[in-house]
Amino acid sequence: MRILLWHVHGSWTTAFVQGPHTYVVPVTRDRGPDGLGRARTWDWPGSVVEVPPERLRDEHIDVVVLQRPHELGLVDRWLGRRPPLVYLEHNAPHGDVPDTRHPAAGIPGATLVHVTHFNRLMWDAGPTPSTVIEHGIVDPGPLWTGELERAAVAVNEPLRRGRTTGTDLLPVFAEAAPLDVFGMGTDGLAGRLGIPAGRCRSHELTQAVLHTQMARRRVYVHPVRWTSLGLSLLEAMHLGMPVVALATTEVTEAVPPTAGVVSNKIDELTGAVRDFLADPLHARTAGEAARAAALARYGLNRFLDDWERLLKEVAR
């Protein structure tokens, strides 16, 4: 099939485009939000092709995967027709939860796909058929060494996102372990939060080196309060990192007790961080359990098989 989708979420799309189809991504001259084209920092196969908006009317498209509310208008304007539609929702709802109406509710013929069961439960989809296809990860391999007695955190724009991503909790975790925070918009984070520089370092790395650097840290800390299930958490588990995470949204489903500590008790979480730093063997054992759980539930083959079934059904 030829599938039209916008480059919105690089990590998720990297897994999606490993399938057997041709993936058409719009590209504009400025490579703005509606025309980013192919990824520059992820490894995408040649089956991902860039097409300018003015040429889309001449393209054969079997299915459109929408990810943002305004993209339906782009489909109408750029294609002049509506192929079968899938609306992929990456996020948990914000606002009047659990009464938040989903943008896809009522779109004729659309199928709504959530990435977690929690998200499906929280969004009001109205009459639109909805289902769940859980994340899949391109396995980076068991890279964990834990050689650095530091904790890794991965989050983009933590200052802007604030309490949503648990940014206010970082000073507390920094007392338990020196932190390395990986992600975009992390520069100057320690100073803004009042954390001594040595206890919190910021890193904006390319995807090619991110996993190797994260895996050198002893433990992965996931302080997120309210987002969808973070791909960074699942990637850390694939790396073989032990996990310390808030028991929010879908985390309790993704992280088994043997893989780390999941709790909403801050003292319990910080204590777990200290324990992992002090005991490398304990960290290794939990990390191995985390990797096994992630491969079993969030492996790439299962993800692609689930999408293959849905795409065939929608296209039919």
Side-chain angles (χ1 to χ4, degrees):
M1 285 184 274
R2 293 179 65 82
I3 300 167
L4 172 67
L5 76 159
W6 278 262
H7 175 186
V8 174
H9 193 307
S11 294
W12 180 89
T13 309
T14 297
F16 184 68
V17 299
Q18 304 304 313
H21 307 291
T22 298
Y23 304 90
V24 178
V25 292
V27 61
T28 55
R29 288 185 179 181
D30 63 352
R31 292 189 178 267
D34 290 333
L36 282 174
R38 286 178 55 91
R40 303 302 177 90
T41 57
W42 285 272
D43 186 16
W44 286 5
S47 56
V48 182
V49 296
E50 297 179 338
V51 177
E54 61 272 16
R55 283 177 38 204
L56 281 172
R57 284 178 181 264
D58 300 324
E59 291 286 325
H60 174 75
I61 302 295
D62 293 292
V63 177
V64 178
V65 177
L66 305 170
Q67 299 171 79
R68 298 168 296 177
H70 74 279
E71 289 177 355
L72 185 59
L74 297 179
V75 169
D76 292 341
R77 190 161 70 250
W78 292 355
L79 272 70
R81 63 192 186 281
R82 288 190 182 183
L85 301 173
V86 172
Y87 195 114
L88 171 66
E89 180 53 68
H90 293 283
N91 300 313
H94 283 270
D96 191 13
V97 181
D99 296 321
T100 309
R101 189 80 159 178
H102 195 275
I107 296 178
T111 299
L112 176 58
V113 178
H114 296 284
V115 296
T116 72
H117 293 276
F118 179 89
N119 289 3
R120 182 184 187 182
L121 187 68
M122 288 295 149
W123 279 106
D124 174 10
T128 299
S130 62
T131 188
V132 176
I133 297 181
E134 294 187 313
H135 286 305
I137 301 293
V138 178
D139 183 15
L143 302 181
W144 181 86
T145 64
E147 65 202 76
L148 301 180
E149 294 185 17
R150 302 179 66 88
V153 179
V155 60
N156 289 325
E157 300 185 71
L159 291 170
R160 178 182 65 81
R161 299 167 74 189
R163 288 178 57 84
T164 297
T165 53
T167 306
D168 59 301
L169 300 176
L170 294 182
V172 179
F173 281 109
E175 293 178 4
L179 303 180
D180 285 299
V181 183
F182 298 89
M184 296 181 294
T186 58
D187 189 43
L189 181 64
R192 294 285 297 274
L193 296 177
I195 305 174
R199 302 293 291 185
C200 182
R201 299 173 181 167
S202 297
H203 306 268
E204 295 194 29
L205 304 177
T206 64
Q207 196 74 5
V209 298
L210 173 63
H211 290 148
T212 301
Q213 289 303 313
M214 281 179 54
R216 297 180 65 206
R217 277 67 189 174
R218 183 72 50 84
V219 59
Y220 181 78
V221 173
H222 193 66
V224 176
R225 279 192 180 90
W226 187 261
T227 68
S228 191
L229 183 61
L231 280 168
S232 59
L233 169 65
L234 301 181
E235 289 169 352
M237 293 173 68
H238 273 76
L239 292 169
M241 301 186 74
V243 170
V244 173
L246 298 187
T248 56
T249 62
E250 192 88 349
V251 172
T252 56
E253 293 282 335
V255 184
T258 54
V261 175
V262 176
S263 175
N264 289 325
K265 300 175 182 177
I266 299 301
D267 289 346
E268 190 170 312
L269 295 172
T270 54
V273 171
R274 292 187 177 96
D275 289 344
F276 281 126
L277 252 64
D279 190 343
L281 180 58
H282 174 43
R284 177 178 293 278
T285 301
E288 290 173 349
R291 175 168 167 78
L295 287 172
R297 183 160 184 171
Y298 302 103
L300 183 64
N301 288 338
R302 190 275 310 156
F303 171 80
L304 294 175
D305 287 347
D306 288 352
W307 270 104
E308 188 68 9
R309 283 191 291 270
L310 179 73
L311 290 168
K312 287 181 177 178
E313 180 181 334
V314 169
R316 188 184 310 119

